[in-house]
Amino acid sequence: MENAILLIEDSYFRWKQRSFLQTCSFLRFKLWNHASDPRNVLTFFPPYLFASLICSIMCFQFLDFRCGRCAVVSSSGQMLGGARGQEIDGQDCVIRMNAAPSVGYEADVGNRTSLRVVSHTSVPHLVRQQGYFFGREAETRYVIWGPEKNMREDGKGKIFNALVTLAKKYPQSHIYTVTREKVQYCDSVFQNETGKNRMKSGAFLSTGFFTMILALEVCDSVLVYGMIDGSYCSNANHSFVPYHYYEPSRLDECRMYRTHEHAKRGGHRFITEKLIYSRWASPGKLRFVYPPWSQQEHQQD
């Protein structure tokens, strides 16, 4: 059986994009390597490698998604008042996160959604508002990530079971899950960039981290909206901004970031992740356009 698996993997490399119907467990790929560029700009392998690690809920079909210029829209309150909606909708594809709505906020965040990256913790929001997400946004591709205990396919994965129910109810929906191999790969990216083991350090990767990796692999270029740089919250004159643009009276973004950054267990390392993005940024591939990140931030080691 092991030899058969090796043969299948070897054949996949030769076939490249010819087959999108292999079994997820057979596929284990390294998706990118660091280039020799001193700024650590990433070198990307062809997009079919990413597609091999995100599987459709109902038919084990791999995500077949490629786009030219993508707008990645943060859920941050930084989006409020920016009037970037028309600019965002003018890009080839629009990628959003979790259950962030566009209705009522079109002027600032746009109206289109090509792809949505969703944490397992936000799936209940999709279920509660399923008419919106699988009706109004019926053509959107949903990429769901989460820990194996919630995503297991043996009937014991609570989130996976909820997604199967949605896929059956909305047969025209496009629902995908991130495989265990891909989650482990994202863990390895975090460790390579920080020198810290994610699990041992008590950190949880954010939806933004998965979104950035996805966008950089499937888009020719990426424009990021609403994401602050890693030094923003340390500036003495930074302003109060809500954590989510659609919850304006709730948590302060910087307070949330600092709390998570120093949490001993279960914290997202939002500030650390943004320092990682600054090393990936390059004018041709990845730009933080609103609010703009300084060139000095881009050049940091």
Side-chain angles (χ1 to χ4, degrees):
M1 183 62 181
E2 289 182 358
N3 289 337
I5 292 174
L6 289 174
L7 285 173
I8 289 173
E9 290 181 337
D10 182 59
S11 297
Y12 186 87
F13 277 101
R14 293 198 303 271
W15 295 341
K16 295 186 176 179
Q17 283 182 288
R18 199 170 80 188
S19 175
F20 282 96
L21 296 173
Q22 304 294 337
T23 303
C24 293
S25 60
F26 288 165
L27 302 165
R28 298 175 177 85
F29 298 113
K30 186 174 183 181
L31 302 185
W32 64 22
N33 286 324
H34 286 271
S36 57
D37 189 294
R39 293 177 300 167
N40 242 2
V41 174
L42 299 181
T43 297
F44 299 91
F45 284 26
Y48 60 83
L49 293 183
F50 178 83
S52 71
L53 289 168
I54 296 183
C55 295
S56 168
I57 286 289
M58 296 305 293
C59 61
F60 294 102
Q61 199 170 20
F62 299 127
L63 178 66
D64 183 11
F65 184 87
R66 185 70 187 172
C67 196
R69 179 179 289 181
C70 296
V72 169
V73 184
S74 168
S75 304
S76 166
Q78 299 285 342
M79 294 302 302
L80 293 173
R84 295 295 180 125
Q86 186 174 357
E87 179 181 329
I88 288 168
D89 283 342
Q91 309 309 321
D92 297 325
C93 298
V94 180
I95 301 175
R96 302 186 192 276
M97 303 179 208
N98 292 321
S102 58
V103 173
Y105 303 93
E106 293 90 342
D108 289 332
V109 306
N111 188 48
R112 295 175 51 226
T113 306
S114 310
L115 188 149
R116 215 177 253 280
V117 182
V118 182
S119 164
H120 60 109
T121 59
S122 288
V123 169
H125 294 291
L126 300 187
V127 174
R128 284 195 294 270
Q129 303 174 66
Q130 56 189 264
Y132 172 85
F133 289 110
F134 302 104
R136 187 180 186 279
E137 292 193 359
E139 296 303 312
T140 299
R141 292 173 173 85
Y142 293 85
V143 175
I144 318 296
W145 71 273
E148 187 175 4
K149 67 178 182 179
N150 290 337
M151 306 302 292
R152 55 193 296 176
E153 302 170 21
D154 59 358
K156 297 180 180 179
K158 181 178 179 180
I159 297 303
F160 186 83
N161 292 345
L163 295 173
V164 170
T165 299
L166 284 172
K168 289 179 178 178
K169 186 174 181 179
Y170 301 94
Q172 302 305 312
S173 62
H174 310 278
I175 303 174
Y176 299 81
T177 60
V178 179
T179 64
R180 179 179 63 178
E181 289 87 352
K182 181 62 179 179
V183 173
Q184 292 173 341
Y185 170 74
C186 291
D187 282 349
S188 71
V189 171
F190 182 84
Q191 183 161 340
N192 289 339
E193 292 286 352
T194 65
K196 296 179 181 179
N197 179 279
R198 179 193 64 78
M199 295 185 67
K200 290 181 179 179
S201 66
F204 284 156
L205 298 179
S206 73
T207 299
F209 198 79
F210 284 93
T211 302
M212 292 295 284
I213 288 177
L214 167 59
L216 286 167
E217 289 174 356
V218 302
C219 304
D220 293 336
S221 61
V222 180
L223 304 178
V224 182
Y225 294 84
M227 193 175 288
I228 56 175
D229 65 44
S231 63
Y232 176 87
C233 292
S234 62
N235 295 335
N237 60 345
H238 75 265
S239 57
F240 172 93
V241 175
Y243 179 55
H244 289 146
Y245 65 78
Y246 51 91
E247 297 175 319
S249 62
R250 296 196 64 187
L251 300 167
D252 172 54
E253 181 175 57
C254 283
R255 183 176 180 182
M256 175 69 88
Y257 280 16
R258 285 193 292 264
T259 298
H260 273 264
E261 191 72 18
H262 300 294
K264 292 184 178 180
R265 289 191 53 145
H268 294 309
R269 307 305 188 222
F270 294 114
I271 295 173
T272 295
E273 289 178 3
K274 287 168 178 55
L275 292 173
I276 293 172
Y277 306 154
S278 72
R279 294 195 290 270
W280 295 351
S282 65
K285 182 68 182 184
L286 171 63
R287 286 197 298 125
F288 297 84
V289 295
Y290 179 79
W293 290 21
S294 68
Q295 191 65 25
Q296 290 75 20
E297 182 77 4
H298 287 170
Q299 300 293 339
Q300 275 190 344
D301 292 330

